[in-house]
Amino acid sequence: MGVAAPRRTPEEADFAEELKALWDEYGSPATEAVARHCEVSARTLDSYLNGRTFPKPERLDQLLIGLASVAEADKEADEPTVRATQHTERLREALFRARTARKEERSRVRKLATALPGGQSGPAPGEPPSFSGFGPVPGILPGRRFGDRRALVRAGVHRQLMAGIAGGERLGAESIVLGAERANDEDHGDVIVYTGEGGVGDQQLTRGNAALATSASTRSPVRVVRQITDTSGSRVYRYDGVYTVEDYWSEQELDARRVWRFRLVRTAPAEQAVANLPQLDDVEGPGVVSIMRSPLSIQRVIRSTATANLVKQIHDFTCQVCGTRLQLRAGRAYAEAAHIRSLGTPHGGTDAISNLLCLCPNCHVLMDTGMLVINDDLTVVSRADSTILGVLRETQEHQIDREALAYHRILHGAPKEDGTAR
């Protein structure tokens, strides 16, 4: 039986994709042309672009100089400079993650090589269990502090140097980082309303945002890291346990830009009670500042999942607008609880039952985008063709806040009482 070989990691594939994107940004020059301007052969450059190998950091610098030289050849520049594009920074980050993942993969192969015949042996005594990237990191409990983003990557807590969301659309989000610079996030301890990524124009449900949306469907745990100020005044990162994505929606901000918002709820508050137990000090270097040796305090839940569930139960998981009831397996049904007036700044909505609707996913999206508005008499108006679709169902147990309906109409550019369809 042959010796196991390291397999190509997803991080290496990500690096190859980022390199191809940067290569296209420079006009897709021939590798032979780039090789003439740097100390890397055309064959090696081809292997980088095809994802067969990846460079050391100094080789990457040479590659970037070669690209810049080809692009500036007509300018007769004496000292070609590497463009400080966002793509370049992403490429450097992708290389760091690829090299880190490659070290982990080589370690895995070494362990297989020393396993019992057939490769069926378990971990050695005292060895931490394997880690898939999702859920708690073995040996690291909530409260652990890290000095910088590189330390988070090395520990496997948040495997992105720059992005606030780690993960992908196919499998979901592994972790997120909350920081002081993220003014649109709402952090209530056990409940977080997290604003998606994308700072220019309307946010799209792609990349990290798509990863969080996948996590909402799969219910996979998402690690949360908070950037805090310690007693010495230094900015550090603290791992605060795992959460689940309970809901997500698109909403319009005051500047008319649309953003994606994700509501995360702590999944296991009892887990914090063991934060004072010894942890594995398996992260080397100055990045690790300290280990918190006392239990974390747990803040009171501000936004109640129970309220959303109550609304759905009142209407038997049937959409109040179109009457659709999505039937799942084992007699279960699916519906979404939608806030009429969005929670938090700048909208100031509440989590009261009167500010919630039980909707199907389609009507939820139409409400969030303003393509459905509801008058005070509960007539539902389609803004696509100004027709009345029907009357919103209201029950004695679930009375609708008319002021919230008016706020929603005005927010989306409709008159205070939309009579266009009458």
Side-chain angles (χ1 to χ4, degrees), residues 6 111 114 124-125 166 171 173 197 214 232 235 240 298 333 408 422:
K111 292 173 184 177
T114 58
L171 297 178
E197 62 182 18
T214 298
S232 67
R235 305 291 294 180
D240 280 345
I298 298 185
H408 177 267
R422 297 185 182 283

Side-chain angles (χ1 to χ4, degrees), residues 204-226:
Q204 305 300 316
L205 200 60
T206 57
R207 299 176 69 91
N209 297 339
L212 283 171
T214 298
S215 295
S217 301
T218 62
R219 311 290 295 172
S220 59
V222 178
R223 294 185 298 278
V224 169
V225 176
R226 289 178 170 89

Side-chain angles (χ1 to χ4, degrees), residues 180-250:
E181 72 280 1
R182 297 181 55 84
N184 291 337
D185 293 338
E186 301 173 39
D187 187 358
H188 304 286
D190 283 353
V191 178
I192 299 166
V193 179
Y194 186 84
T195 303
E197 62 182 18
V200 179
D202 291 344
Q203 291 183 353
Q204 305 300 316
L205 200 60
T206 57
R207 299 176 69 91
N209 297 339
L212 283 171
T214 298
S215 295
S217 301
T218 62
R219 311 290 295 172
S220 59
V222 178
R223 294 185 298 278
V224 169
V225 176
R226 289 178 170 89
Q227 188 182 37
I228 63 171
T229 302
D230 65 10
T231 54
S232 67
S234 300
R235 305 291 294 180
V236 298
Y237 294 90
R238 185 184 68 204
Y239 168 54
D240 280 345
V242 294
Y243 289 60
T244 54
V245 183
E246 296 287 341
D247 196 8
Y248 66 97
W249 63 92
S250 175

Side-chain angles (χ1 to χ4, degrees), residues 107-125:
S107 175
R108 182 190 71 85
V109 172
R110 282 196 296 270
K111 292 173 184 177
L112 287 176
T114 58
L116 293 175
Q120 299 300 315
S121 65

Side-chain angles (χ1 to χ4, degrees), residues 17-40:
E17 291 180 4
E18 291 290 352
L19 179 58
K20 289 177 184 176
L22 181 64
W23 206 273
D24 292 341
E25 186 176 306
Y26 276 91
S28 301
T31 53
E32 292 80 3
V34 176
R36 287 195 292 270
H37 294 275
C38 66
E39 299 176 3
V40 184

